[in-house]
Amino acid sequence: MTGREGGADIGPIGENSPVVILVRPQLAENVGTTARAMANGGLFHLRLVAPRDGWPQSRAWFASSGAHRILDAATVHDTVDDAVADLHRVMATCPRPRHIVKTVMTPRGAAAELRARAAQGLRTGILFGPERAGLDNEDMARADTLVRYPLNPDFMSLNLAQAVLVMAYEWWMAEDATAPRLLMTNETQVATKGELENFLSHLTRELDACGFLRNEQKRPGMVRNLRHLFQRGDVTEQELRTMHGVVTELARGRKSRQAPG
């Protein structure tokens, strides 16, 4: 929950983001969780076609976890034709397209297409069907493209908000620049090769001094193994300082035990 009165201060992100169109939604809670899913993916525009229990429904706001402004701005339409009348391109989610000749895309492919259409200044929308049966053939006849989710063929069961979240996620990721892998170093940074070599020299000196590397035949391989160990990961400067301290203290303890009593 956001804890903010009236929900989070969310609004449209960019221009021409897709309109989410819920066709004959049955439960207000599902409309609310759909708004929550939309907000996570940066979608804002919500249209409802003939909601079963009418609109507005307070339970939707309770279920939206702060995505109130999406619900506040949602519009209600009597028919799919009315809901898509001002759009240039419409997609429809469809788990099992039958007897239909139409382009079928994955959510990722659909998101890329939606981004391309938005860049052209075209308004787009995505149809999502009722919770129990999904879109019927008449609904899908209003769409240019069908979207089918490539999930486990033995269990393809998503609730309404989950279906919307998949599309919202793919829409967001289509232009997200987040690196797929990032090392979080907080207040330190990855050590340089020079700093790492300095530590390895320190470690090797003390291992020689304590006799750990006394086997001359095995010594080169043992030193290489230690080098591989520390070169394998992104060792940080703070970690190296800690290891320097460990080696120094171990050496100090060894010397104190060797000192004459």
Side-chain angles (χ1 to χ4, degrees):
M1 298 294 289
T2 64
R4 302 174 189 168
E5 184 178 354
D9 188 19
I10 54 179
I13 298 177
E15 296 183 2
N16 299 318
S17 60
V19 177
V20 172
I21 304 168
L22 304 186
V23 180
R24 299 181 296 280
Q26 297 169 350
L27 296 174
E29 290 84 353
N30 290 341
V31 178
T33 53
T34 289
R36 179 181 184 178
M38 292 170 58
N40 278 282
L43 300 179
F44 183 80
H45 306 291
L46 175 63
R47 298 179 184 179
L48 310 177
V49 176
R52 185 188 66 180
D53 299 327
W55 190 260
Q57 293 285 330
S58 60
R59 298 191 307 279
W61 275 260
F62 285 121
S64 72
S65 293
H68 296 173
R69 285 173 173 78
I70 292 176
L71 299 175
D72 294 340
T75 58
V76 180
H77 306 262
D78 293 331
T79 65
V80 173
D81 285 328
D82 183 56
V84 303
D86 65 330
L87 304 179
H88 298 98
R89 293 289 185 273
V90 176
M91 295 184 175
T93 56
C94 177
R96 292 179 299 276
R98 295 176 180 174
H99 313 299
I100 297 174
V101 179
K102 208 179 284 281
T103 300
V104 180
M105 290 185 169
T106 64
R108 188 157 302 171
E113 177 73 9
L114 291 168
R115 286 286 184 179
R117 297 298 183 180
Q120 295 170 359
L122 302 180
R123 295 187 299 276
T124 61
I126 314 169
L127 299 174
F128 294 87
E131 295 89 326
R132 182 170 298 178
L135 298 168
D136 61 28
N137 287 343
E138 288 300 316
D139 300 324
M140 287 184 280
R142 272 66 181 172
D144 307 287
T145 305
L146 301 182
V147 183
R148 189 167 192 265
Y149 297 8
L151 301 173
N152 179 4
D154 295 325
F155 194 85
M156 297 180 66
S157 177
L158 296 177
N159 64 36
L160 183 56
Q162 287 172 328
V164 172
L165 181 60
V166 170
M167 282 305 309
Y169 173 80
E170 293 294 353
W171 163 262
W172 184 267
M173 291 300 295
E175 289 198 356
D176 183 70
T178 302
R181 183 179 184 272
L182 180 66
L183 178 67
M184 185 178 297
T185 58
N186 296 313
E187 296 179 359
T188 185
Q189 58 185 350
V190 175
T192 66
K193 294 297 184 183
E195 291 167 333
L196 192 56
E197 185 61 33
N198 181 46
F199 164 72
L200 289 170
S201 296
H202 180 195
L203 177 62
T204 302
R205 284 196 308 273
E206 295 301 336
L207 291 176
D208 278 327
C210 73
F212 182 78
L213 298 175
R214 59 183 173 274
N215 189 317
E216 288 298 323
Q217 185 176 1
K218 293 183 178 180
R219 185 183 184 281
M222 296 171 71
V223 172
R224 280 197 302 272
N225 287 341
L226 289 171
R227 184 177 301 280
H228 286 313
L229 172 63
F230 286 97
Q231 295 279 11
R232 192 161 57 219
D234 292 318
V235 182
T236 67
E237 294 175 348
Q238 179 58 54
E239 290 168 338
L240 281 188
R241 285 194 291 270
T242 300
M243 291 304 299
H244 273 296
V246 168
V247 174
T248 297
E249 287 301 313
L250 288 174
R252 182 178 292 123
R254 173 176 52 80
K255 292 174 183 177
S256 65
R257 290 193 298 273
Q258 294 174 346

